[in-house]
Amino acid sequence: GNSVTQMEGPVTLSEEAFLTINCTYTATGYPSLFWYVQYPGEGLQLLLKATKADDKGSNKGFEATYRKETTSFHLEKGSVQVSDSAVYFCALSDRGYSTLTFGKGTMLLVSP
Amino acid sequence: GAVVSQHPSWVICKSGTSVKIECRSLDFQATTMFWYRQFPKQSLMLMATSNEGSKATYEQGVEKDKFLINHASLTLSTLTVTSAHPEDSSFYICSARGDYNNEQFFGPGTRLTVL
């Protein structure tokens, strides 16, 4: 079956540091890959997505590249801000958006 | 963007009672709604998928008689946890999807504690 593995948190960084959150997946076929973000007290929001190999999703300074050869979709940001503190979920779907399989989530804490 | 609300945001109940959680799409019509359950430090697990006006489709291992899902209108779905027990304590999250695209929009979640 499908599964998503992402690094455990919390990840603690200082403002303007470089961020990487690792995500690897197991799936049949060619899934679509997603990163969701959950700010405190709010629902999950789609941050970025990629639907095929070598696609790069990007939004709000975050980016992730769909790497089929390593089955990975690592999230990166060059310079984090305090406002980026949240929980980040990697997810996949092999049927469009119909069914999402999530990783456990990684909490990011950014200090001034 | 599309907004999904959940009510209540948290609830505490006694063992053996039933609890209803509402999920509403505030500014779009949700033909499909999803219910997830999240344990601490665990991923979101899909419990069931419901389409407006029809019976929900439950994932393997989810008791349909315990977790009753109703999706009677295009803006409201409810999850009722019947005869709740402490092991049902969890964070329940809904999402909703309209017809105009396939994206799921998530609610903020409901924290259920069963004493």
Side-chain angles (χ1 to χ4, degrees), chain A residues 1-4 25-34 36 50-52 66 90-102, chain B residues 34 36 46 59 97 102 104:
Chain A
N2 297 338
S3 67
V4 175
Y25 67 90
T26 302
T28 54
Y30 303 95
S32 296
L33 302 174
F34 309 86
Y36 283 84
T51 58
K52 61 182 187 296
Y66 189 143
C90 184
L92 71 81
S93 174
D94 58 6
R95 285 179 278 168
Y97 283 92
S98 297
T99 304
L100 290 167
T101 300
F102 287 90
Chain B
F34 305 83
Y36 295 85
L46 179 65
E59 295 298 303
R97 187 182 72 197
N102 279 328
Q104 290 186 35

Side-chain angles (χ1 to χ4, degrees), chain A residues 3-18:
Chain A
S3 67
V4 175
T5 303
Q6 58 183 109
M7 59 192 293
E8 290 196 24
V11 173
T12 304
L13 296 172
S14 298
E15 203 164 26
E16 299 184 3
F18 184 86

